[in-house]
Amino acid sequence: MIFKETKIKGAYLIDLEKNEDERGFFARSFCLQEFKEHGIDFNIAQCNISFNKKKGTLRGMHYQSTPFEEAKLVSCIKGRIYDVIIDLRKDSATYCQWLALELREQDYRILYVPKGFAHGFQTLESNSVVFYQMSEFYHPECARGIRWDDPLFLIEWPSNDQIISAKDRTYPLYIKNIL
């Protein structure tokens, strides 16, 4: 696996090292030892799949509060998504900065999202599927969110043609949000 640190410290884009032949390829997509070699302490507690029927579906920005903060490995296994993370770690040099990148099924890329980040995405194709590996179990009492259009962050979404759940529309602005 090839780890590339992003402009936001602690977040990595991971590319697979493919062993290819006439049949296709074989590649490791998770290795605890390799993660530890990059200073990442990540153990998988659960895995989730998000199926998105329509292009323009926007999910986010989600996170889980203490004591159940979670790290994530995010990949797009079908279609394409515009994936966004926001650094909410108050002691971080990149606090309140966001990063967006495109994840596509044909790239087999994985985004590592550390604890203390909000995460969301917008689908760029209908029938997109997102696969998550989570470091923590889901705790509904600690589930939180920030509005996708919070003026503090000014996230540049690829399309204004958005399908957003009622729940995601009612998340508070971060400037009013208490972690």
Side-chain angles (χ1 to χ4, degrees), residues 58-170:
L58 197 155
R59 296 181 186 262
M61 301 296 296
H62 306 138
Y63 64 97
Q64 200 160 267
S65 66
T66 56
F68 300 112
E69 290 179 304
E70 59 193 3
K72 302 176 182 180
L73 291 174
V74 182
S75 57
C76 182
I77 59 174
K78 183 171 191 245
R80 294 183 308 133
I81 63 168
Y82 181 81
D83 208 37
V84 179
I85 58 175
I86 303 172
D87 187 351
L88 300 179
R89 302 170 298 177
K90 292 183 179 181
D91 60 346
S92 171
T94 54
Y95 176 59
C96 287
Q97 291 182 29
W98 62 275
L99 170 76
L101 49 90
E102 187 175 316
L103 295 177
R104 309 178 312 166
E105 68 179 283
Q106 62 267 35
D107 292 336
Y108 302 98
R109 292 184 130 176
I110 302 164
L111 179 63
Y112 170 72
V113 183
K115 292 180 180 181
F117 279 65
H119 173 260
F121 64 86
Q122 185 175 28
T123 58
L124 301 174
E125 293 180 7
S126 294
N127 299 312
S128 290
V129 179
V130 181
F131 179 66
Y132 298 86
Q133 294 169 290
M134 314 296 287
S135 69
E136 184 58 64
F137 297 105
Y138 177 65
H139 294 272
E141 71 279 10
C142 294
R144 303 285 186 272
I146 301 167
R147 283 182 58 96
W148 81 99
D149 61 350
D150 191 313
L152 178 65
F153 306 111
L154 297 174
I155 296 169
E156 298 169 12
W157 295 101
S159 173
N160 290 327
D161 185 18
Q162 301 165 338
I163 301 164
I164 306 169
S165 73
K167 183 178 179 180
D168 284 1
R169 287 184 184 278
T170 60

Side-chain angles (χ1 to χ4, degrees), residues 3-106:
F3 289 75
K4 298 175 186 171
E5 191 163 21
T6 68
K7 69 177 186 174
I8 298 184
K9 185 141 183 73
Y12 287 86
L13 189 58
I14 303 167
D15 286 310
L16 304 182
E17 286 187 276
K18 298 175 187 174
N19 295 305
E20 299 184 69
D21 63 22
E22 65 280 356
R23 300 168 294 174
F25 75 85
F26 180 85
R28 186 177 346 194
S29 63
F30 180 79
C31 175
L32 188 60
Q33 182 177 338
E34 287 187 54
F35 272 72
K36 286 185 178 183
E37 288 170 3
H38 286 86
I40 301 169
D41 183 22
F42 185 85
N43 292 299
I44 299 169
Q46 70 181 44
C47 298
N48 305 315
I49 290 179
S50 170
F51 170 70
N52 305 274
K53 291 181 189 178
K54 305 244 182 199
K55 177 181 177 179
T57 298
L58 197 155
R59 296 181 186 262
M61 301 296 296
H62 306 138
Y63 64 97
Q64 200 160 267
S65 66
T66 56
F68 300 112
E69 290 179 304
E70 59 193 3
K72 302 176 182 180
L73 291 174
V74 182
S75 57
C76 182
I77 59 174
K78 183 171 191 245
R80 294 183 308 133
I81 63 168
Y82 181 81
D83 208 37
V84 179
I85 58 175
I86 303 172
D87 187 351
L88 300 179
R89 302 170 298 177
K90 292 183 179 181
D91 60 346
S92 171
T94 54
Y95 176 59
C96 287
Q97 291 182 29
W98 62 275
L99 170 76
L101 49 90
E102 187 175 316
L103 295 177
R104 309 178 312 166
E105 68 179 283
Q106 62 267 35

